[in-house]
Amino acid sequence: MAGRNVLIVYAHQSPGSFNAAARHVAVEALQRQGSHVVVSDLYAMDFRASATVQDITDEPRNPEHFCYGDETMWAWQEGRLSDDIKEEQRKVEEAELIIFQFPMYWFSVPAILKGWIDRVLAQGFAFSMEKMYNNGVFKDKKAMLSFTTGAPESMFLPDGINGDMNVTLWPLQNGVLHFCGFQVLAPQIFWAPTFCLPQVRDAMLEGWWARLQGLWEEAPLTFVPSEYFDLSFTGGYRLWPHLKEERGGDAYGLTTGHHLGKPLPPDNQIKAVSLKDQARAIPPEDHAHSKNGQ
């Protein structure tokens, strides 16, 4: 990754946290490879989470009914966004890889990071109806989630009480990152470090360091190409009927979200596997053994 620009969007309050340690490992590993790393430490920046009229620098076009999406799109086009948003958008434009480092809160990101997503990834800047998913604005950039959980992996298995982590990650990885065009790398999940022995936490960070050595060469997660859908309002942006028919005999759905009423493809949001491989019939008992490390 020599010479590459990397942005780490970091959301944790404590410099003594495991998230801070994971951020430090990423910065050091990437810098040693020659990458230029910028960190947006959202709590240290006191980044504003609320999306409000203050995000534009003059009067809205429609003060009687303020529509945040439309108003910020126009403000982006006309250079009227607030300075903090402009600065983060500049960082995004310069970055070739963005790593989001955070603790999972309520099956999602902390409010301050959600505010970064809401405010920085403005319509026009990050997406449009013409530029989305694999044809998106950031299709030449990579992005990934790196996060800690408060619960062990067993609770996030398909038969765990929290439900399948693949389902939990779909809104963030498909609905935010892939929607904006990013090539989404498999997430780096640190399972319940709070409840782990120090040597286990050290091993987690060593594994992260090892992964970072070849991160740029990793294949991204697989999503269904936009070309598989009738991209018109009359067609409802739905999968072309002939493609749906062709996949009728597959053992699994296309993705976690596009399951077509079939079983979810194993680890679709956690491991980089091609659509062809996901569709193959994998004996359920084999998948169960692999998920439980037997």
Side-chain angles (χ1 to χ4, degrees):
M1 295 179 65
R4 303 284 189 177
N5 291 327
V6 181
L7 170 63
I8 299 177
V9 183
Y10 170 69
H12 199 287
Q13 306 92 331
S14 173
S17 66
F18 186 92
N19 275 272
R23 177 207 60 196
H24 176 75
V25 166
V27 171
E28 185 172 352
L30 295 169
Q31 286 181 339
R32 285 195 182 188
Q33 297 171 27
S35 296
H36 176 64
V37 183
V38 172
V39 177
S40 284
D41 186 338
L42 300 185
Y43 286 104
M45 295 160 56
D46 197 21
F47 189 83
R48 191 169 72 247
S50 299
T52 70
V53 69
Q54 297 176 37
D55 290 346
I56 60 177
T57 58
D58 55 12
E59 290 298 315
R61 292 193 184 184
N62 186 356
E64 300 299 323
H65 177 57
F66 180 74
C67 179
Y68 186 84
D70 289 342
E71 293 286 355
T72 52
M73 177 185 66
W74 295 324
W76 169 74
Q77 292 171 342
E78 298 164 6
R80 296 185 291 109
L81 288 173
S82 60
D83 288 342
D84 59 340
I85 294 178
K86 286 181 179 179
E87 177 61 13
E88 293 305 298
Q89 289 182 343
R90 181 191 63 78
K91 295 175 186 177
V92 171
E93 287 178 330
E94 293 179 354
E96 296 163 84
L97 167 67
I98 302 178
I99 299 174
F100 295 88
Q101 183 65 58
F102 61 94
M104 179 170 278
Y105 283 4
W106 291 108
F107 295 78
S108 187
V109 298
I112 199 167
L113 179 50
K114 181 57 165 61
W116 188 97
I117 292 169
D118 289 347
R119 299 178 64 225
V120 176
L121 300 181
Q123 185 174 352
F125 170 73
F127 70 92
S128 69
M129 289 302 292
E130 294 76 29
K131 295 181 178 180
M132 58 181 178
Y133 294 116
N134 57 293
N135 297 315
V137 174
F138 302 134
K139 63 183 180 181
D140 295 324
K141 300 178 183 290
K142 299 176 185 289
M144 67 174 295
L145 307 178
S146 175
F147 62 94
T148 58
T149 67
E153 182 179 9
S154 61
M155 292 176 68
F156 285 100
L157 294 176
D159 63 350
I161 192 169
N162 287 342
D164 193 339
M165 178 60 84
N166 291 276
V167 176
T168 298
L169 293 179
W170 177 258
L172 288 171
Q173 295 190 149
N174 178 77
V176 177
L177 300 181
H178 180 51
F179 183 77
C180 293
F182 288 109
Q183 301 169 45
V184 185
L185 300 182
Q188 181 71 23
I189 307 175
F190 300 103
W191 300 104
T194 299
F195 301 105
C196 294
L197 295 172
Q199 56 266 37
V200 175
R201 293 196 293 271
D202 289 345
M204 288 180 177
L205 295 175
E206 290 169 3
W208 180 217
W209 176 279
R211 182 184 177 190
L212 286 160
Q213 305 312 307
L215 192 65
W216 202 263
E217 288 71 40
E218 286 188 7
L221 298 174
T222 300
F223 297 90
V224 182
S226 298
E227 292 74 22
Y228 277 37
F229 300 88
D230 181 348
L231 301 179
S232 68
F233 285 104
T234 55
Y237 289 79
R238 298 184 66 183
L239 192 70
W240 288 105
H242 71 277
L243 292 176
K244 189 173 181 179
E245 184 177 350
E246 288 174 9
R247 306 305 291 254
D250 290 349
Y252 298 102
L254 294 172
T255 66
T256 299
H258 307 105
H259 51 74
L260 304 181
K262 299 174 179 290
L264 303 186
D267 288 335
N268 172 253
Q269 291 298 291
I270 295 178
K271 296 180 181 178
V273 182
S274 70
L275 277 175
K276 181 179 180 181
D277 289 340
Q278 286 174 179
R280 291 189 318 193
I282 303 173
E285 59 272 16
D286 289 351
H287 177 56
H289 289 322
S290 66
K291 287 288 286 187
N292 290 287
Q294 299 179 8

